[in-house]
Each structure stands twice: as C-alpha cells, then as structure tokens.
Amino acid sequence: MTLQPLTPEAAITSNTLPEIDYPDSDGNPMSDNTEQYRWIVIIKENLEIMFADDPNVFIAGDLLWYPVRHTQKRFAPNVMVAIGRPKGRRGSYKQWLEDNIAPQIVFEILSPSNKDRRGIDSLEEKFDFYETYGVKEYYIYDPDEMILEGWQRVGDRLVKIPSMMDWVSPLLGIRFDWTTGQELVLSRPDGQRFLSSIELDRRLQQSKIQVWQEQQRAEQERKRAEIQRQRAEQESQRAEQESQRANRLAARLRELGIDPDDEL
C-alpha cells in the first residue's frame, strides 16, 4: 500500500505552529465617559456579588478574549461571564487554556464614540465575533438614549430577542426591568436590584446601623430582664425574711406557753 503525503493543512497542527504573542491590552480605554463606566461597574460588580459563592463562574470587565490559538483575533467585551471556569487573575482570556469554554454572556455599553461610523463598524465586528465564537446571550445598552437590545443563541446564530421588557436571562436569571425611554433596572433572581457602589455602601452602613440598634435594643431588654430578676429575687428574700421572723415569733410564743395557732 502506498502512503499518501499529508496535505499542508494536516501537516501543520496547533502543536507545531509557532507560538505568538497575545497582548493583554489593545491600547483602547475601558470606557469613554463616566456613564458608560458606571454601567460597566454596576453590571460587573453586581454579577460578582451574585456568584460570589460559586467558584466556577468567572466574570470580567474589559478583558481581552482570544478564542483561537495562534491568532491575535480578539475582542474585549465590556462585561463577560464564563460559566464553568474558575475565578482568578488573568491578563486575558485565552480560550484554549479554559477547557475551550467560551464566555456565554456578554454585555456592551454604548458611548458616543461607538455610535459614530467607526463605532458602528466595530459593533458589527463584535456581533460577528460573538456569534462565531459561541456567545449564548448578548446584550447592548445605551444609557444616553436608554435603548436596550438583546440576542439569544438559536443553533449557530444569535437571534434578536423580540422584546426586552421584563426579560429574564436564561443563564443568569437576572431580570431586565425596562421600558422604552426609561433607565434600565437590573434585578437578581431574589428580586434584589443591582446597586451602584454608593448605594451598596449606604445599604451596608444602614445595615450596620440597624445591627447596632438591634444590639442596643437587645441590651436594653437584657438589662430590663436583669432588673426584673433582681426585683423578684429581692421580693423572694423579703418573703423569706418575713417567714423566718414569723417562725421565730411563733417559737417565742410557744416558749411562753402560748399557742400561736389558737384563734383569739
């Protein structure tokens, strides 16, 4: 039997291709303005809180995602969630080092710069990238125009969600409370609204105050109970003393030949 020569494609495998550099930065800023940054932080940090006890949900903001080895093709989603991957530090998300698990959920927050012609082209490229490499849920929010759009994977395509009003993410369980022209409100599965860092701090401080107040009330109740106990103990001691005095008096009367039990 004559062996056929390997084709160039078969001869060059991922193990024989030379390794290349995978930069951890693309040189672009994380955000263009305070509102875009605020929303990136709100979504990323509240998701972190939601999944704090699950070691196998990795969440990142503005982290470069390289889906394929030996190419520098990549994008940095504003927020991405990789279910099934451990938490931890990463300079970038190299999918072939992550059990080949692609981030399943991606959020993009619009800003003035990605709504000009260059930005639109960039969003189209991102959409094609996310559709090609396995994103299952893709959400775009424009905080200036208060516009929300979402896509869900059906087969090998990302299909637009007809209405985002009261939409619940199948993978995250979070609720999108939104109507046209109103600011987006995100809620956890337990109904807790996504909060900003200031709101979280205020809630923490309020919680501390409530705990302190409860401790003060408990201490006051303890002191009142202690006072009642001491009073009851004093009453018992007085009753005991009265009983002892009565017994001594009765004994003295008997010594005098008088029966204290006789009726007068």
Side-chain angles (χ1 to χ4, degrees):
M1 182 176 71
T2 304
L3 296 176
Q4 297 295 321
L6 293 175
T7 64
E9 291 78 11
I12 301 175
T13 68
S14 61
N15 294 325
T16 60
L17 285 171
E19 197 59 271
I20 64 172
D21 183 39
Y22 305 99
D24 288 342
S25 174
D26 57 7
N28 294 322
M30 179 177 178
S31 62
D32 295 322
N33 57 38
T34 56
E35 191 65 8
Q36 184 190 29
Y37 180 79
R38 182 175 76 90
W39 273 100
I40 292 171
V41 171
I42 285 176
I43 294 172
K44 192 263 185 186
E45 292 305 313
N46 279 271
L47 289 175
E48 292 276 20
I49 293 169
M50 264 184 59
F51 292 101
D53 296 328
D54 191 332
N56 290 312
V57 176
F58 174 69
I59 301 164
D62 197 44
L63 187 73
L64 285 177
W65 164 24
Y66 291 91
V68 181
R69 194 176 182 182
H70 302 303
T71 175
Q72 288 190 340
K73 181 180 292 186
R74 81 278 188 182
F75 271 109
N78 287 155
V79 180
M80 69 180 187
V81 181
I83 299 171
R85 297 308 302 150
K87 302 183 190 303
R89 295 183 178 182
R90 290 167 175 79
S92 60
Y93 190 89
K94 301 179 181 71
Q95 190 171 317
W96 58 93
L97 300 179
E98 307 285 352
D99 285 347
N100 205 34
I101 293 176
Q104 296 95 344
I105 306 99
V106 164
F107 295 83
E108 293 289 350
I109 309 300
L110 298 189
S111 65
S113 71
N114 60 18
K115 287 187 287 188
D116 61 18
R117 186 63 225 170
R118 179 190 60 79
I120 292 173
D121 289 341
S122 175
L123 286 174
E124 290 174 354
E125 291 175 13
K126 282 186 175 183
F127 183 93
D128 292 342
F129 180 91
Y130 298 149
E131 186 175 59
T132 299
Y133 293 111
V135 168
K136 298 183 183 300
E137 297 179 30
Y138 178 34
Y139 302 105
I140 294 179
Y141 180 56
D142 182 342
D144 295 320
E145 303 294 332
M146 297 182 185
I147 295 173
L148 175 68
E149 294 181 293
W151 291 262
Q152 186 178 18
R153 181 166 292 275
V154 178
D156 60 353
R157 301 286 304 279
L158 282 173
V159 177
K160 191 168 185 178
I161 299 166
S163 173
M164 289 300 297
M165 294 182 182
D166 298 324
W167 171 258
V168 176
S169 161
L171 292 176
L172 298 176
I174 64 174
R175 184 184 185 88
F176 293 75
D177 295 314
W178 172 83
T179 55
T180 304
Q182 295 186 9
E183 185 171 75
L184 171 65
V185 175
L186 293 169
S187 302
R188 305 177 198 173
D190 62 4
Q192 170 62 56
R193 184 171 62 87
F194 277 29
L195 302 174
S196 68
S197 57
I198 293 175
E199 290 171 324
L200 286 168
D201 182 70
R202 286 176 178 169
R203 179 159 293 190
L204 175 61
Q205 297 306 318
Q206 183 62 34
S207 176
K208 288 180 179 179
I209 291 172
Q210 290 174 348
V211 169
W212 179 82
Q213 290 173 339
E214 288 296 328
Q215 290 173 339
Q216 293 298 306
R217 282 194 287 269
E219 180 63 17
Q220 290 171 357
E221 288 296 327
R222 187 194 66 78
K223 288 181 178 179
R224 278 195 290 269
E226 178 63 18
I227 291 172
Q228 292 295 329
R229 186 193 65 78
Q230 291 175 355
R231 287 176 178 171
E233 186 175 330
Q234 290 170 355
E235 290 296 328
S236 177
Q237 290 174 351
R238 281 195 291 269
E240 178 65 22
Q241 290 170 354
E242 289 296 329
S243 176
Q244 291 175 356
R245 281 197 293 268
N247 289 336
R248 286 195 298 269
L249 178 59
R252 180 61 178 161
L253 290 173
R254 289 189 181 96
E255 290 174 357
L256 296 173
I258 302 171
D259 188 348
D261 295 327
D262 288 343
E263 295 184 358
L264 296 178

